[in-house]
Amino acid sequence: MKKGVLIYILFSVLVWGLGACGDFLEEYSQNQRYATTAQDLDELLRGECFMQTPNISSNTQETMGFSSGLGMNYPWLHVMDDDAEEVVVGGLPSTSSYPRNVLGSFYHWASDPFVTLENAQYRDNDWERFYKSIGVLNSIIYMADEFRSKEEDLELLNRVEGEARFLRAGYYFLLVNIYGMPYNKVTASRDAGVPLKITEHIEDKYFSRSSVEAVYVQIVKDLERAVVCLKGITPSSTLRVGEVAANALLSRVYLYMEKYEECIAAADEVMAGTYSVVDLNGWTAGQNVISWTSPETIFTQGGNAVAGTFLNYSTAWVLQNGSYVQQNQSLSYQVSEDLLACYADGDLRRTAFFKNSLHAFIPDKYKTWTNYNDEDEIGADFLIRLPEVILNKAEALAMLTRDGDAKTELEKLRSKRFAAAPAVTETGGALIDFIREERRRELCFEGHRWFDLRRYTVNSIRPLPDNFTIRHRNNAYEANSQTWYEDGYYELNAYAKDRAAWIIPIPNYAIEFNRGELQNEIRPNRELQRN
């Protein structure tokens, strides 16, 4: 490769998908940047590869208003599981820009989730954003190795490569858990994952799905290399990546793969560091539980789609008894009764993690980004905290029937979540279930629950039962009385019975540009149920 190397071609998935086509090269060839030093690579990494932070404040509660394209990072991830339920407030039927309309087809597990309840189509930008970042990361990883031969700043190059490999692993982890099948240790080599591309050059071919196994193997390879590159590096901010973050994400990936000994080893590397669990006995009302500078926070990036999804409201004028009155209007989501019921008496998280607004409970663990100087704010779209690592290890220990050790790990967390934590008396399968519920209580609305349910369904030791279902109630509008009322429910069956609905479809634009090489399973039409 020539000096003055081409390091970056704007790599939208359109590009990625149609790498064979001259048309795409012509269209995107003007978007090029050159890197000649380690510092150039670092600037490119910082400027192009970390997740965007949309400015959506939990205080303004603006309507979503993105029917032409998702501005937030995968907000629908938070409404498909059993932690969320629909809430309607006010007397207006208009829903076009409210979360209930925009995300309703995800909430209903519809055949095409990207068609709103008002039959408008909008674009899934997450696929494109992920692969654009991966394209840049591929080039950075390649060039970091090239620059080592020039005796460039080796310490900086190691850090840049380590961060780049961590990010690439993280984005492939998200991609395969959103658009691919869950990792099943028996069938992963045959199960459909997502396209895998790790070379820096544009390949003259169309892309198809790689196997789930192939994607996870690459994720592990990247993270193991990241640990080596980042050895001894402690970043100055949780917005950058260090050795601990790489091991923390590795513990999560190994847990998904049922590599429990490896999960424990990676978790131990993290827990040997300086991070600690915040004691909620010292929490006061109005204080954020999770923050950018918290001793629990290992790494954070992105925005916070939760803030724009749950009880998103505005003030509206409603005709009542012949005159207009002003009232709050919301067609959105709230914390499910099922989740709230999971917290035992005395669990401090029940108060600290949620707040009551317009008579609905909504997540309140953190603020979203509004400016970069507020140390209470955090990016929750991609967040790694010490409690997750503790729970990763506890679950792995329980899977290996090391019940006593698993309970010791749980105590590290639960002692900080109760004034006096009740003893954990469960053993065997019941202990595994308890740890999973503890994971739900602790990590709710951080992007874990949907992925966790997927992996539980195919776990070889303790799978979810065949009769597992999620039920989402539905509301309908009565025009004469200008009121909303509960009208039936939608139900998602267990993975073995309803597999396609547990996988988000790859967007049509990627399928079209790859000339049909990418395929989605057909998601069934889901009927409204009434008792």
Side-chain angles (χ1 to χ4, degrees):
M1 190 171 286
K2 297 178 181 179
K3 189 174 180 179
V5 177
L6 176 62
I7 186 65
Y8 173 46
I9 296 178
L10 186 56
F11 214 74
S12 107
V13 128
L14 306 178
V15 175
W16 202 126
L18 15 119
C21 303
D23 291 346
F24 119 90
L25 290 174
E26 181 179 344
E27 180 178 356
Y28 289 97
S29 62
Q30 69 271 24
N31 296 310
Q32 51 185 302
R33 300 182 182 182
Y34 292 86
T36 58
T37 67
Q39 189 63 44
D40 290 342
L41 291 183
D42 188 41
E43 291 177 6
L44 185 59
L45 179 72
R46 286 182 290 146
E48 300 289 348
C49 299
F50 286 85
M51 290 174 65
Q52 297 176 352
T53 56
N55 186 7
I56 302 167
S57 171
S58 60
N59 297 320
T60 61
Q61 298 288 356
E62 297 172 354
T63 54
M64 299 191 101
F66 52 77
S67 58
S68 62
L70 288 170
M72 291 178 277
N73 298 309
Y74 39 89
W76 32 266
L77 187 62
H78 306 286
V79 304
M80 297 185 294
D81 56 39
D82 48 2
D83 285 352
E85 62 187 31
E86 191 174 86
V87 59
V88 291
V89 176
L92 294 181
S94 175
T95 65
S96 60
S97 62
Y98 283 91
R100 180 184 182 272
N101 173 57
V102 178
L103 305 179
S105 292
F106 287 96
Y107 180 73
H108 297 163
W109 311 288
S111 57
D112 185 351
F114 288 100
V115 174
T116 73
L117 297 187
E118 294 186 347
N119 292 316
Q121 184 86 44
Y122 67 91
R123 199 170 191 271
D124 171 14
N125 291 327
D126 292 298
W127 173 278
E128 182 175 2
R129 282 195 291 254
F130 283 137
Y131 277 115
K132 173 192 170 187
S133 295
I134 287 169
V136 183
L137 291 164
N138 289 341
S139 294
I140 289 174
I141 292 166
Y142 172 79
M143 292 309 302
D145 190 54
E146 286 281 295
F147 287 179
R148 284 192 182 92
S149 63
K150 302 176 183 179
E151 298 185 356
E152 283 281 346
D153 186 335
L154 295 182
E155 182 177 348
L156 179 57
L157 287 172
N158 284 339
R159 180 175 63 74
V160 167
E161 182 187 345
E163 288 195 88
R165 287 188 179 273
F166 171 91
L167 291 172
R168 185 168 71 177
Y171 297 153
Y172 271 123
F173 176 84
L174 289 168
L175 280 163
V176 76
N177 280 284
I178 291 170
Y179 303 102
M181 297 170 71
Y183 188 96
N184 182 328
K185 63 184 297 185
V186 177
T187 63
S189 63
R190 304 188 302 273
D191 291 339
V194 294
L196 187 63
K197 184 181 187 301
I198 58 171
T199 59
E200 78 289 352
H201 57 272
I202 298 170
E203 297 182 72
D204 188 26
K205 67 177 184 179
Y206 298 108
F207 286 89
S208 58
R209 290 179 183 266
S210 300
S211 72
V212 172
E213 179 73 25
V215 177
Y216 269 85
V217 166
Q218 184 58 47
I219 291 169
V220 170
K221 182 178 179 181
D222 273 341
L223 289 175
E224 289 179 339
R225 175 61 181 167
V227 169
V228 172
C229 290
L230 296 170
K231 187 70 175 177
I233 292 178
T234 301
S236 58
S237 165
T238 53
L239 299 173
R240 298 301 295 265
V241 184
E243 179 185 2
V244 173
N247 274 310
L249 186 53
L250 198 52
S251 76
R252 182 192 302 178
V253 173
Y254 280 140
L255 182 66
Y256 278 51
M257 298 176 74
E258 298 189 46
K259 294 189 173 185
Y260 297 123
E261 293 288 2
E262 292 90 336
C263 171
I264 293 166
D268 283 341
E269 290 292 328
V270 175
M271 294 163 67
T274 59
Y275 297 91
S276 60
V277 178
V278 172
D279 191 343
L280 290 186
N281 286 284
W283 177 83
T284 57
Q287 179 183 7
N288 290 311
V289 178
I290 305 172
S291 68
W292 176 7
T293 56
S294 166
E296 291 183 354
T297 303
I298 296 171
F299 176 72
T300 173
Q301 66 166 329
N304 181 351
V306 170
T309 304
F310 286 79
L311 197 67
N312 212 261
Y313 71 86
S314 63
T315 301
W317 290 94
V318 180
L319 182 65
Q320 290 184 352
N321 301 320
S323 60
Y324 284 94
V325 296
Q326 196 173 37
Q327 69 174 223
N328 288 321
Q329 174 78 11
S330 178
L331 298 111
S332 189
Y333 298 93
Q334 64 183 346
V335 179
S336 70
E337 294 176 6
D338 187 55
L339 173 58
L340 293 173
C342 287
Y343 294 90
D345 291 342
D347 193 328
L348 301 173
R349 292 171 293 195
R350 177 66 171 74
T351 301
F353 282 11
F354 313 106
K355 71 177 179 181
N356 194 297
S357 179
L358 296 185
H359 309 293
F361 276 91
I362 59 175
D364 194 39
K365 298 165 78 172
Y366 36 57
K367 287 192 298 183
T368 188
W369 292 110
T370 54
N371 64 71
Y372 289 96
N373 298 317
D374 186 343
E375 293 186 352
D376 277 342
E377 295 174 345
I378 196 152
D381 295 334
F382 193 115
L383 173 64
I384 302 176
R385 294 193 294 129
L386 180 62
E388 183 210 340
V389 178
I390 293 172
L391 291 166
N392 292 347
K393 182 180 178 182
E395 185 176 337
L397 289 165
M399 289 293 185
L400 296 173
T401 68
R402 294 169 57 183
D403 291 5
D405 292 337
K407 292 177 185 181
T408 297
E409 296 305 318
L410 286 175
E411 175 64 18
K412 294 176 182 177
L413 175 62
R414 288 171 58 82
S415 65
K416 307 296 185 181
R417 299 305 190 237
F418 291 80
V424 178
T425 59
E426 287 81 358
T427 59
L431 177 60
I432 294 170
D433 293 342
F434 182 88
I435 292 169
R436 289 174 174 177
E437 287 298 291
E438 188 69 12
R439 187 178 180 90
R440 183 185 186 188
R441 288 185 284 266
E442 177 65 30
L443 303 178
C444 58
F445 306 109
E446 296 177 42
H448 291 278
R449 182 61 176 172
W450 178 252
F451 291 172
D452 279 343
L453 287 173
R454 281 168 37 98
R455 70 182 177 88
Y456 299 157
T457 62
V458 297
N459 184 265
S460 66
I461 297 174
R462 187 72 173 175
L464 289 178
D466 290 340
N467 63 353
F468 174 83
T469 61
I470 302 175
R471 182 175 291 188
H472 281 169
R473 66 190 183 201
N474 183 63
N475 292 281
Y477 185 73
E478 208 287 310
N480 289 333
S481 62
Q482 295 181 320
T483 57
W484 289 85
Y485 63 95
E486 188 173 337
D487 180 36
Y489 61 89
Y490 292 89
E491 190 167 76
L492 177 69
N493 296 308
Y495 178 76
K497 300 176 182 178
D498 215 355
R499 186 173 75 182
W502 288 85
I503 303 167
I504 300 303
I506 291 174
N508 288 334
Y509 61 78
I511 293 173
E512 291 168 1
F513 280 116
N514 279 278
R515 299 292 194 270
E517 290 294 319
L518 295 173
Q519 297 290 329
N520 289 317
E521 290 196 45
I522 298 175
R523 291 166 60 107
N525 291 318
R526 201 163 302 275
E527 300 295 329
L528 180 67
Q529 305 293 315
R530 294 185 176 92
N531 291 327

